[in-house]
Amino acid sequence: MKVTWLGQAGLYLQLGGLKIIIDPYLSDSVGAIDPAKARRVPIKESLFEIEPDVLAFTHDHLDHYDPESAQRFLGQDKGFLVLAPNGCWQKARALGGKHNYVLFDTDTEWTHGDVKFTALPAVHSDPYAIGLLIEGEGKAVYITGDTLYSKKLLKNLPDAVDVIFLPINGAGNNMNMTDAARLVTASKAKIAVPIHVGMMDEIDPNEFPCQNKRVLTVYKETEIE
Amino acid sequence: MKVTWLGQAGLYLQLGGLKIIIDPYLSDSVGAIDPAKARRVPIKESLFEIEPDVLAFTHDHLDHYDPESAQRFLGQDKGFLVLAPNGCWQKARALGGKHNYVLFDTDTEWTHGDVKFTALPAVHSDPYAIGLLIEGEGKAVYITGDTLYSKKLLKNLPDAVDVIFLPINGAGNNMNMTDAARLVTASKAKIAVPIHVGMMDEIDPNEFPCQNKRVLTVYKETEIE
Amino acid sequence: MKVTWLGQAGLYLQLGGLKIIIDPYLSDSVGAIDPAKARRVPIKESLFEIEPDVLAFTHDHLDHYDPESAQRFLGQDKGFLVLAPNGCWQKARALGGKHNYVLFDTDTEWTHGDVKFTALPAVHSDPYAIGLLIEGEGKAVYITGDTLYSKKLLKNLPDAVDVIFLPINGAGNNMNMTDAARLVTASKAKIAVPIHVGMMDEIDPNEFPCQNKRVLTVYKETEIE
């Protein structure tokens, strides 16, 4: 699996032959409202040239469903699969195009080619927020989405999670580093990728107290075996 | 049980001495709005002569609760049982007549003669959408209604489902063929009847990758043991 | 652990190096509406000088989330952690400041320093009401919040509860003394502290029929080993 961190909670995965983009935040939507949260990482324009097979949103907050980034990708001529829960599903769908807008609420599953997507629960201030389980190439990839720690998160996970992507910023109803480390252990994930830092704060992911963490560099494609 | 596929998700069942019509789409309501979805199968007028014992609607989308078809059946003099969830229940009920309009939301049950009807959950863009479990003649017939794959669907099914009717079109928040085939397996249905194809698209139900499928011909009465 | 009962269900705990305030009711908000429930214990103004590390609310009733007391604590310059379930979370958050407002619904967990907080279920007329499990210094402290007796309360408790704080007033959807005593036994708590009496009624906590009860004096700091 190839992974490119797009900054904040944005991810670009190449898995099972699919190009999968999740929660792209390639604008300064949040900074425009709250200058303290101005974008600290320059926008890489060439990312908008990716033609995804799947575009997924985990919830309807500006740094996850970013209207500007959504419009850029959904404005592409070629149709693709869009997965989004209530709230951002309605917003994305209103942008039209040839895309297949699938309402992706907790527990829903969708198989695309050889890759299976499952909407998992998340505990966040958007009550429709989801996590994503992506299974392909014999790997189980768990993207928690924005969430606090809850036993609910663990209920529907497979026995072995290969990679977990999770917030560690401890603000805005996200886990802090301590609880995020507990979730890594509880999920039995082999590799933990801390995200949701460095875009609107000065939190250093290298401080995440987790043995099996893998800290990514924004915009740099990385192979995760 | 005798089954007649009315095209799209429409079904006419003769079971346990009852004439049961579900989601009749005998108009071009959708094509009138979106020419790309114009009706591809001619309307068979004689179907309106059926005097049903039960008319059931699974949700309030034009190809399921079709106002024109609803009006034709509900305009009959003889009263019958109408099962419909929130949304289309209100619309159907407004048409009046001698009918018994039962609000049929998820988990609700109604026994008519020797046949028991249960409203099952469905995961669709109409939040009130239901599936139907119809039990009679010692058979359990599961009509999923429009839905995506979710563990929720399986929760209240009987141990053995004899026949499952399910969408396979993979658009508009319906399962694609892969997930539909998974649902057949998970529900342990003996016979799977793919529907919701051929009326507004060119999808061929013979391509449904499912060993125990039974492909019906529109308007042709078929005995299913 | 040092405990100061603030009257009604208000508690000030010093545990694991943290100052924790729960449900402070330091006003006469209820008496202003219902004179029969006028405050019977004078307000101790100096309590507002405490700079808490954690301020927790169990539900959105005036004697638990008291707008006046909330405003006084949340008006402090220094930011701290606020734990609150739906309803009072929205109200507290609207007061702003540098605080970290964590939405704390049932099953959610948050670790702060060496202390772990878990939102437990409560069965009360505010459907978002929670109980709190606070684990630190090798102790498990269970604050039931306002609740009736239910098996749900016991589901996620640790094997051994060291101290349980619980209502015994038997009114307004709270346990009476009999059911409260049953809960102490069922939770296997070593020490039981009856609260939610004496502020708006004349109930005497010494009448609580429970061998291992510890009756506190309002505003008096007590060491509980």
Side-chain angles (χ1 to χ4, degrees):
Chain A
M1 174 177 67
K2 286 180 187 161
V3 180
T4 308
W5 185 19
L6 308 180
Q8 193 66 350
L11 292 168
Y12 170 40
L13 309 183
Q14 292 164 273
L15 176 72
L18 297 183
K19 297 179 197 166
I20 304 163
I21 293 179
I22 300 154
D23 286 351
Y25 180 69
L26 297 164
S27 80
D28 194 24
S29 299
V30 177
I33 291 169
D34 181 356
K37 293 184 178 167
R39 187 178 182 91
R40 283 155 170 78
V41 183
I43 294 162
K44 188 175 171 189
E45 270 293 321
S46 62
L47 289 166
F48 289 115
E49 290 160 21
I50 300 170
E51 294 190 335
D53 299 292
V54 183
L55 176 60
F57 299 104
T58 62
H59 64 287
D60 189 17
H61 285 163
L62 279 178
D63 53 336
H64 293 261
Y65 178 82
D66 167 36
E68 286 186 43
S69 306
Q71 201 148 19
R72 294 286 293 273
F73 284 109
L74 293 167
Q76 293 182 6
D77 284 341
K78 207 181 125 198
F80 49 79
L81 174 66
V82 182
L83 302 174
N86 236 309
C88 48
W89 180 77
Q90 280 80 356
K91 290 186 181 174
R93 192 167 172 252
L95 298 176
K98 292 178 191 156
H99 314 297
N100 186 4
Y101 292 96
V102 170
L103 181 65
F104 214 51
D105 286 322
T106 305
D107 285 343
T108 308
E109 306 184 16
W110 185 274
T111 308
H112 194 72
D114 295 327
V115 181
K116 191 173 79 151
F117 298 82
T118 305
L120 295 177
V123 174
H124 194 57
S125 39
D126 173 353
Y128 296 115
I130 58 167
L132 289 169
L133 179 68
I134 306 179
E135 293 169 287
E137 298 180 4
K139 277 195 161 33
V141 178
Y142 175 27
I143 295 147
T144 67
D146 277 11
T147 187
L148 294 162
Y149 187 105
S150 167
K151 282 171 187 157
K152 278 181 198 148
L153 307 193
L154 301 167
K155 237 176 35 189
N156 293 311
L157 286 182
D159 289 340
V161 168
D162 292 278
V163 193
I164 184 172
F165 294 86
L166 77 178
I168 60 164
N169 59 314
N173 291 298
N174 277 342
M175 293 174 285
N176 57 31
M177 291 196 190
T178 308
D179 291 322
R182 277 206 299 139
L183 185 64
V184 173
T185 306
S187 71
K188 296 180 207 142
K190 290 174 202 147
I191 296 173
V193 182
I195 58 173
H196 215 290
V197 290
M199 180 63 77
M200 304 175 187
D201 56 40
E202 307 293 337
I203 296 171
D204 179 359
N206 290 295
E207 292 178 0
F208 181 40
C210 175
Q211 289 280 335
N212 46 333
K213 72 169 169 283
R214 180 82 62 90
V215 174
L216 302 184
T217 302
V218 174
Y219 299 146
K220 188 181 162 195
E221 188 175 290
T222 305
E223 182 80 34
I224 295 187
E225 292 299 339
Chain B
M1 176 177 66
K2 285 181 187 162
V3 180
T4 308
W5 186 19
L6 307 181
Q8 192 67 349
L11 293 167
Y12 170 41
L13 309 183
Q14 292 164 272
L15 175 72
L18 298 182
K19 297 179 197 167
I20 304 164
I21 293 179
I22 300 155
D23 286 351
Y25 181 69
L26 297 164
S27 80
D28 195 22
S29 298
V30 177
I33 292 169
D34 180 356
K37 293 184 178 166
R39 187 177 183 91
R40 282 157 170 79
V41 183
I43 294 162
K44 187 177 173 188
E45 272 292 323
S46 63
L47 289 166
F48 289 115
E49 291 161 23
I50 300 170
E51 294 190 336
D53 300 291
V54 184
L55 175 61
F57 299 104
T58 62
H59 65 286
D60 188 17
H61 284 164
L62 279 178
D63 52 336
H64 294 261
Y65 178 83
D66 168 36
E68 286 186 46
S69 306
Q71 201 148 21
R72 294 286 293 273
F73 284 109
L74 292 166
Q76 293 181 5
D77 284 340
K78 206 181 125 197
F80 49 79
L81 174 67
V82 181
L83 301 173
N86 237 309
C88 48
W89 180 78
Q90 281 81 356
K91 291 186 180 173
R93 194 167 169 249
L95 298 176
K98 293 179 192 154
H99 315 296
N100 184 7
Y101 291 96
V102 171
L103 181 64
F104 215 51
D105 285 322
T106 305
D107 285 343
T108 310
E109 305 186 13
W110 184 275
T111 307
H112 194 73
D114 295 327
V115 181
K116 192 172 77 150
F117 297 83
T118 305
L120 295 178
V123 174
H124 194 57
S125 40
D126 174 351
Y128 297 114
I130 58 167
L132 290 169
L133 179 67
I134 306 178
E135 294 168 287
E137 297 180 5
K139 275 194 161 38
V141 178
Y142 176 26
I143 295 148
T144 68
D146 278 11
T147 187
L148 294 161
Y149 187 106
S150 168
K151 282 171 186 157
K152 279 180 200 147
L153 306 193
L154 301 168
K155 241 178 29 189
N156 294 310
L157 286 182
D159 289 339
V161 168
D162 292 278
V163 193
I164 185 173
F165 294 85
L166 77 179
I168 60 164
N169 58 315
N173 291 298
N174 277 341
M175 294 174 284
N176 57 31
M177 291 195 190
T178 308
D179 291 320
R182 278 206 297 140
L183 185 64
V184 173
T185 305
S187 70
K188 296 177 206 144
K190 290 174 202 148
I191 297 172
V193 181
I195 57 173
H196 214 290
V197 290
M199 179 64 78
M200 304 174 186
D201 57 40
E202 306 294 337
I203 296 170
D204 179 358
N206 290 296
E207 292 179 1
F208 182 39
C210 175
Q211 289 281 334
N212 46 332
K213 73 171 171 280
R214 180 83 63 92
V215 175
L216 302 184
T217 302
V218 174
Y219 298 145
K220 189 182 162 193
E221 188 176 290
T222 305
E223 182 80 34
I224 296 187
E225 294 298 338
Chain C
M1 174 177 69
K2 285 179 186 161
V3 180
T4 308
W5 185 20
L6 308 180
Q8 193 66 349
L11 292 168
Y12 170 41
L13 308 183
Q14 297 170 73
L15 176 73
L18 297 183
K19 297 178 197 167
I20 304 163
I21 293 179
I22 299 153
D23 287 350
Y25 180 70
L26 297 164
S27 80
D28 194 23
S29 298
V30 177
I33 291 169
D34 180 357
K37 294 184 176 165
R39 188 177 182 91
R40 284 155 170 78
V41 183
I43 295 163
K44 187 176 171 188
E45 270 293 321
S46 64
L47 289 166
F48 289 115
E49 290 159 23
I50 300 170
E51 294 190 335
D53 300 292
V54 183
L55 176 60
F57 299 104
T58 63
H59 65 288
D60 189 18
H61 286 163
L62 279 178
D63 53 336
H64 294 261
Y65 178 82
D66 167 35
E68 285 186 45
S69 307
Q71 202 148 19
R72 293 287 292 275
F73 284 109
L74 292 167
Q76 294 182 5
D77 283 342
K78 207 180 123 198
F80 49 78
L81 174 66
V82 182
L83 302 174
N86 237 308
C88 46
W89 180 78
Q90 280 81 356
K91 291 186 180 173
R93 192 168 173 251
L95 298 177
K98 292 179 191 154
H99 314 296
N100 186 3
Y101 291 95
V102 170
L103 181 66
F104 216 51
D105 285 322
T106 306
D107 285 342
T108 309
E109 305 184 16
W110 184 275
T111 308
H112 194 71
D114 294 328
V115 181
K116 193 172 79 151
F117 298 82
T118 305
L120 295 178
V123 175
H124 194 57
S125 41
D126 174 351
Y128 296 115
I130 58 168
L132 289 169
L133 179 67
I134 305 179
E135 294 168 287
E137 297 181 3
K139 277 195 160 35
V141 178
Y142 174 28
I143 294 146
T144 67
D146 277 11
T147 186
L148 294 163
Y149 188 103
S150 166
K151 281 173 188 158
K152 277 184 199 147
L153 307 192
L154 302 168
K155 234 177 36 187
N156 292 312
L157 287 182
D159 289 340
V161 168
D162 292 279
V163 193
I164 184 172
F165 293 86
L166 76 177
I168 60 164
N169 58 316
N173 291 299
N174 277 342
M175 294 175 285
N176 56 31
M177 292 197 189
T178 308
D179 290 323
R182 275 208 298 141
L183 185 63
V184 173
T185 305
S187 70
K188 297 178 207 145
K190 290 174 202 147
I191 296 173
V193 181
I195 57 173
H196 215 292
V197 290
M199 179 64 78
M200 305 176 186
D201 56 40
E202 307 294 338
I203 296 171
D204 180 359
N206 291 295
E207 292 179 2
F208 182 38
C210 174
Q211 290 280 333
N212 47 334
K213 72 170 168 282
R214 179 84 62 92
V215 175
L216 303 183
T217 303
V218 173
Y219 299 145
K220 188 182 163 193
E221 188 176 291
T222 305
E223 183 80 35
I224 296 188
E225 292 299 335

